[in-house]
Amino acid sequence: MALSRAQRCLVLLLRFLSRVHLALIGLASRAPFPVAFFASSSSPSLSLSLFPSGKAAAAAAVVAAALPAPRDAARAVPPPEHPLLLLSATELARRIRRRKVTCVDVIETYIARIRQVNPLINAVVKDRFEAALQEAHQVDQLLSECHDDEEALEEKFPFLGVPVTIKEAFELHGLPNTSGLVNRRNIVSKSDAMVVSRLKQAGAIPLGVTNCSELCMWFESSNRIYGRSNNPYDLQCIVGGSSGGEGSILGAAGSVIGVGSDVGGSIRMPAFFNGIFGHKPTTGVVPNDGQFPTAVGIRRNFLCTGPMCRYAEDLEPMLRVMAGPNVSKLKLNEEVSLGDIKFYSMEHDGGSIFVSPVDKELLQAHRKVVKRLETDLATQVQNVTIHDMKYSLQIWSVMMSAKTSDGQETQAFTDLLGDHGKPVWPSWELLKWLLGMSPHTLPAIALGIGEKFLKYTPKQNARLANKAQKLQAEMVNLLGDDGVLLYPSHPVVAPKHHTPWQCLSILPTQPSSTSWVYP
């Protein structure tokens, strides 16, 4: 799809800035610092700044704090050793109900683990440890005085005494709700989001809120308030976004269950990158109330709140709690025979010169799953080719920026950037960013510029909308109500920090719009 001359110029500018950004980061690791780099401790972004030679050492110290760990340093968090950290939330709740372990012991163990790993991964950005310990004492007191049998307790409190962490984009009473936007740094939640309230009522004890990308719009979880989160398995790698902090703390065994949200991969990519389990449920099952940014217009059809877990067995019970009365829509009480399920496999979308190929190790893992299914279930996994999957980014972009049936527009990203502050001019913010003065991250600024200049023509919109309908019909006809499609979550394992900027190279053929919000 051809771009106008202005669009091509903007693409080249953004690509040039991304390459300069990466080059400066690489140069900073080798610079002798007569010319140094300035970095804010709350942001991984570096911008060129001249220092007098007498201040070079101080500047070097600032830069060192923002750079990835050296190769000979520890690259992963220490493995969990305490036995309580190796149990699922379901098992923890069972042992607490049976008085085999006290709730205080569980909460203290997880607090100690967060204190151990969080300096490395920067996943929990605000804690409530004292309040959590008080609530743990209340749980133990309740159990000492309670005469209900275990079954009644499980029915009423399925997650009694279990620690939980919450994506900072959700309201958790008494804790910040900024979504990484500097203008909202003084916003403190006065109530709980609906899903948080339901988890509390089920007995779960929140330990704190976790990091996300600025306004939940990028898959590097970094912002100007809290800084950057790191992957627990390799500190030099990304955690995904926008629920990246949640994925990181779960992967590090600093939490066992968590709350995330997803409209274009914000649960699924962090789950994949951090080795945990995540689920984006059917739209309208779990309420989205109490999170920022709020989905408006057509995006209400796509934004979903869902569970993130360290252990797979916690997905279903957590989804039951979060969905509340709507859980009846999912028919979770019906027994399912794996032998009756139709399995389909698709290893990639055919690829192109603008798309990263799927890593060999991921293809090998994919094929192992197929082989295991065919061996254990004595079934045949059918290979399929869905041709229009290669247009998924463009299709998703059009769907996310479309008007509703009553003509309602989607909210502009620049309006979100100006929340609780003055209007934002992305071009001006780009200049300020080059001088190290912008309160916004470069991805947010680039999106603000892109939504103004990189737009599809009406003809392109109509063509992609038609492809969207055809693709949806093809998927529904293929899977029905008893089909499973195996497909890679991402073409590569968790990339190094900053490398997501390489995606700018696809802009000439895949222009974006406001659709990049909430990836």
Side-chain angles (χ1 to χ4, degrees), residues 213 357 474:
S213 48
E474 184 176 1

Side-chain angles (χ1 to χ4, degrees), residues 15-39:
R15 181 185 292 176
F16 170 76
L17 290 174
S18 70
R19 290 174 178 172
V20 169
H21 185 215
L22 294 174
L24 292 180
I25 292 166
L27 180 61
S29 63
R30 302 186 296 273
F33 292 104
V35 175
F37 292 89
F38 171 77

Side-chain angles (χ1 to χ4, degrees), residues 264-286:
S266 281
I267 288 175
R268 293 163 288 171
M269 283 198 298
F272 173 69
F273 288 150
N274 295 281
I276 64 165
F277 298 90
H279 179 58
K280 179 183 180 182
T282 301
T283 303
V285 172
V286 178

Side-chain angles (χ1 to χ4, degrees), residues 485-514:
L485 175 64
L486 306 177
Y487 190 71
S489 301
H490 196 265
V492 299
V493 296
K496 300 289 186 181
H497 290 298
H498 307 293
T499 54
W501 271 106
Q502 294 175 4
C503 77
L504 282 177
S505 65
I506 67 173
L507 284 175
T509 57
Q510 296 179 348
S512 180
S513 62
T514 57

Side-chain angles (χ1 to χ4, degrees), residues 166-299:
I166 311 294
K167 181 180 181 180
E168 200 260 14
F170 288 86
E171 292 178 333
L172 174 57
H173 183 268
L175 268 63
N177 177 224
T178 71
S179 289
L181 187 65
V182 171
N183 289 345
R184 291 176 59 90
R185 60 185 174 274
N186 296 321
I187 299 295
V188 176
S189 300
K190 298 181 180 180
S191 59
D192 292 325
M194 179 66 75
V195 291
V196 175
S197 177
R198 287 177 177 175
L199 285 166
K200 282 185 173 181
Q201 293 171 13
I205 298 178
L207 297 180
V209 290
T210 54
N211 205 16
C212 58
S213 48
E214 184 176 6
L215 287 176
C216 303
M217 58 68 61
W218 189 242
F219 52 102
E220 172 91 71
S221 285
S222 175
N223 55 72
R224 292 286 191 176
I225 298 180
Y226 305 119
R228 184 187 74 197
S229 295
N230 301 317
N231 194 293
Y233 291 96
D234 187 337
L235 303 180
Q236 299 184 55
C237 293
I238 73 171
V239 295
S242 60
S243 309
E246 196 59 45
S248 178
I249 198 63
L250 288 165
S255 182
V256 65
I257 56 175
V259 174
S261 55
D262 187 317
V263 77
S266 281
I267 288 175
R268 293 163 288 171
M269 283 198 298
F272 173 69
F273 288 150
N274 295 281
I276 64 165
F277 298 90
H279 179 58
K280 179 183 180 182
T282 301
T283 303
V285 172
V286 178
N288 292 319
D289 310 62
Q291 63 178 299
F292 181 86
T294 303
V296 296
I298 197 68
R299 292 178 190 154

Side-chain angles (χ1 to χ4, degrees), residues 474-492:
E474 184 176 1
M475 294 292 288
V476 169
N477 291 334
L478 176 69
L479 299 179
D481 58 4
D482 59 353
V484 172
L485 175 64
L486 306 177
Y487 190 71
S489 301
H490 196 265
V492 299

Side-chain angles (χ1 to χ4, degrees), residues 3 6-7 48 61 92 102 152 155 158 168 176 201 250 263 265 301 317 384 387 414-415 425 451 489 495:
L3 300 181
Q7 290 173 331
L48 189 60
L92 281 173
T102 67
E155 178 70 22
E168 200 260 14
Q201 293 171 13
L250 288 165
V263 77
N301 298 338
V384 295
H387 296 285
T414 50
D415 292 340
W425 300 90
E451 92 174 339
S489 301

Side-chain angles (χ1 to χ4, degrees), residues 246-475:
E246 196 59 45
S248 178
I249 198 63
L250 288 165
S255 182
V256 65
I257 56 175
V259 174
S261 55
D262 187 317
V263 77
S266 281
I267 288 175
R268 293 163 288 171
M269 283 198 298
F272 173 69
F273 288 150
N274 295 281
I276 64 165
F277 298 90
H279 179 58
K280 179 183 180 182
T282 301
T283 303
V285 172
V286 178
N288 292 319
D289 310 62
Q291 63 178 299
F292 181 86
T294 303
V296 296
I298 197 68
R299 292 178 190 154
R300 293 196 196 98
N301 298 338
F302 303 102
L303 177 63
C304 297
T305 298
M308 300 176 71
C309 311
R310 184 168 169 83
Y311 298 94
E313 74 168 331
D314 295 328
L315 281 174
E316 182 182 328
M318 194 178 178
L319 182 58
R320 289 178 181 273
V321 170
M322 295 171 70
N326 285 339
V327 73
S328 59
K329 298 178 179 180
L330 301 179
K331 303 178 182 179
L332 295 180
N333 292 325
E334 295 183 7
E335 292 189 10
V336 176
S337 172
L338 293 179
D340 294 334
I341 293 178
K342 298 178 295 185
F343 291 95
Y344 302 93
S345 170
M346 183 171 166
E347 295 183 349
H348 51 77
D349 63 6
S352 81
I353 60 174
F354 297 107
V355 177
S356 301
V358 179
D359 276 356
K360 290 183 179 179
E361 60 182 307
L362 296 180
L363 291 175
Q364 291 172 354
H366 185 103
R367 291 162 187 168
K368 285 182 180 179
V369 172
V370 170
K371 185 176 181 180
R372 181 69 179 270
L373 288 171
E374 292 181 336
T375 301
D376 290 0
L377 301 180
T379 188
Q380 182 178 2
V381 178
Q382 182 180 342
N383 291 316
V384 295
T385 300
I386 304 173
H387 296 285
D388 281 346
M389 285 286 276
K390 65 174 60 181
Y391 301 107
S392 56
L393 174 60
Q394 298 102 309
I395 288 173
W396 182 75
S397 296
V398 167
M399 293 168 67
M400 289 295 295
S401 56
K403 295 181 181 180
T404 60
S405 57
D406 59 358
Q408 183 181 6
E409 297 270 3
T410 56
Q411 187 175 14
F413 185 70
T414 50
D415 292 340
L416 289 172
L417 286 176
D419 185 85
H420 281 75
K422 298 179 181 178
V424 172
W425 300 90
S427 300
W428 174 239
E429 290 301 325
L430 179 59
L431 178 60
K432 290 166 61 179
W433 182 89
L434 291 170
L435 299 174
M437 299 173 60
S438 176
H440 302 291
T441 58
L442 185 56
I445 296 170
L447 175 57
I449 295 173
E451 92 174 339
K452 182 175 182 179
F453 294 101
L454 299 179
K455 295 182 179 180
Y456 292 112
T457 65
K459 184 177 180 180
Q460 291 170 333
N461 278 332
R463 179 184 174 189
L464 288 170
N466 183 56
K467 280 187 177 294
Q469 294 177 355
K470 289 175 58 180
L471 180 59
Q472 181 178 15
E474 184 176 1
M475 294 292 288

